[in-house]
Amino acid sequence: MQSTTLAMSLARCRIAIGLAAVVDPGRAARVMGGRQASDPIAPLFARMLGARDVALGLGTVIALDRGKPVRGWLEGSALSDTADCVACVIAREHIPPKVLRVAAGLGAGSAVIGVLLSRRLDPAPPPRPGQPEAVATGHPDPA
């Protein structure tokens, strides 16, 4: 798979997961923490992390759409994925084992892929104008 296509796919997955957490933060908190996520503050943090992922995903898509530098967006995504993985490992006694494996594994895998893609897509690849996310956020094709 081409690096640009992989980066676009990962960014769209990040946007989808982030939107799910923003729209239904209670469910996102329960998925991560099981019954222990009943603390009223858990949905707040789920919504905050969801918004972060939407922003990182949109930044990546818009940069790829415009042919602008994407390395910083991918490195920022990799850093946040690394932090997510480490946070899961630290909280392992409070997270259901299956959720721990999935969340920590996704975080670690996404971080590695993000770092590799950040190197492959530097300098910026050619523009891929017309991406729906870019158009929807007011970043239409400048041509």
Side-chain angles (χ1 to χ4, degrees), residues 26-42:
R27 178 174 291 170
R30 285 189 304 279
V31 166
M32 284 299 293
R35 283 174 271 152
Q36 295 180 19
S38 61
D39 184 341
I41 201 78

Side-chain angles (χ1 to χ4, degrees), residues 1-142:
M1 179 181 282
Q2 186 181 22
S3 296
T4 305
T5 302
L6 180 56
M8 190 75 74
S9 297
L10 289 174
R12 287 183 169 141
C13 286
R14 182 178 294 282
I15 292 167
I17 291 168
L19 282 175
V22 168
V23 170
D24 194 353
R27 178 174 291 170
R30 285 189 304 279
V31 166
M32 284 299 293
R35 283 174 271 152
Q36 295 180 19
S38 61
D39 184 341
I41 201 78
L44 166 72
F45 286 109
R47 185 170 276 142
M48 290 167 53
L49 293 173
R52 172 200 75 180
D53 281 337
V54 170
L56 288 168
L58 281 174
T60 301
V61 170
I62 292 167
L64 290 168
D65 179 84
R66 290 288 183 87
K68 300 295 182 188
V70 71
R71 183 174 180 169
W73 289 107
L74 293 169
E75 289 173 338
S77 294
L79 178 61
S80 70
D81 292 335
T82 300
D84 291 350
C85 178
V86 170
C88 286
V89 171
I90 291 170
R92 67 186 168 274
E93 294 177 14
H94 306 286
I95 298 175
K98 184 176 180 180
V99 171
L100 173 62
R101 286 190 300 276
V102 170
L106 281 174
S110 294
V112 169
I113 292 169
V115 168
L116 293 173
L117 286 173
S118 73
R119 301 311 186 265
R120 288 185 185 162
L121 296 175
D122 186 31
R128 294 180 70 173
Q131 300 304 318
E133 299 87 348
V135 173
T137 57
H139 294 85
D141 182 7

